[in-house]
Amino acid sequence: MAYAVVRVRGSVGVRGDIADTLKMLRLHRVNHCVIVPNTETYKGMLNKAKDYITYGEIDKDTLVKLILKRGRLPGNKRLNEEKIKELMDLSVEELAEKIVNDEILLKNTPLKPVFRLHPPRKGYDKAGIKKPFSVGGALGYRGAEINTLLEKMM
């Protein structure tokens, strides 16, 4: 299962090594989202940056919506199902299935690897962006709940 990673907090006061990790994940701004494979290397990076991001396992349906609604080609061109079929010889559902199952990396497709999202409608949870998800905040690992957050941010 691939992880969806969303940057929640800004860059002021971030330690240098954590800032480097966020750059390697391509999370340069708040509300940017990337899809990363489920490997030990990425798990270590996510654990290091857990106080500035939230992440969890993305499902296929949410990824299809994310690609169609917020996915872009270089030059900030919008996507639709015909363009993806023309560029990849795959339907959007097939592409999402392969990305979720770690068969294709998003960086190996013609899509931009970063999805620029809106802030979540109705905000994050009651504890805000300074507490971990386990106590009602927005930070760290949230499992399948990342799909509801992404729905609120699209």
Side-chain angles (χ1 to χ4, degrees):
M1 287 297 282
Y3 288 123
V5 185
V6 178
R7 183 158 181 175
V8 176
R9 297 179 75 190
S11 59
V12 175
V14 179
R15 266 189 8 226
D17 57 337
I18 296 174
D20 291 343
T21 303
L22 290 169
K23 279 183 188 162
M24 285 185 253
L25 287 169
R26 293 191 181 102
L27 294 172
H28 302 287
R29 293 173 181 247
V30 174
N31 298 327
H32 278 196
C33 174
V34 294
I35 309 297
V36 297
N38 185 1
T39 64
E40 288 300 316
T41 306
Y42 278 109
K43 282 182 186 175
M45 293 169 78
L46 297 176
N47 191 39
K48 185 170 200 93
K50 71 184 182 306
D51 294 332
Y52 296 90
I53 61 173
T54 186
Y55 63 99
E57 293 90 6
I58 190 167
D59 63 14
K60 184 184 123 185
D61 299 330
T62 307
L63 186 56
V64 167
K65 289 179 190 171
L66 189 65
I67 289 171
L68 290 175
K69 195 155 189 183
R70 304 302 296 176
R72 298 285 188 266
L73 291 171
N76 203 27
K77 295 184 177 83
R78 289 183 172 262
L79 281 171
N80 55 28
E81 294 190 30
E82 294 82 37
K83 279 236 169 124
I84 292 173
K85 188 79 168 165
E86 176 186 318
L87 292 170
M88 301 271 312
D89 292 329
L90 295 170
S91 71
V92 181
E93 287 81 16
E94 292 170 335
L95 177 64
E97 183 74 35
K98 289 188 178 214
I99 290 171
V100 166
N101 293 330
D102 295 333
E103 296 171 26
I104 295 178
L105 296 177
L106 194 62
K107 68 180 183 179
N108 296 337
T109 66
L111 305 174
K112 282 187 169 183
V114 176
F115 298 97
R116 299 177 304 179
L117 302 175
H118 297 288
R121 287 171 186 81
K122 309 277 186 188
Y124 291 101
D125 299 325
K126 57 190 172 284
I129 63 168
K130 293 190 178 181
K131 299 268 194 285
F133 183 74
S134 58
V135 295
L139 299 174
Y141 178 72
R142 57 173 62 215
E145 287 294 313
I146 193 73
N147 296 307
T148 58
L149 177 68
L150 290 174
E151 291 281 339
K152 287 167 62 174
M153 294 180 86
M154 279 190 257

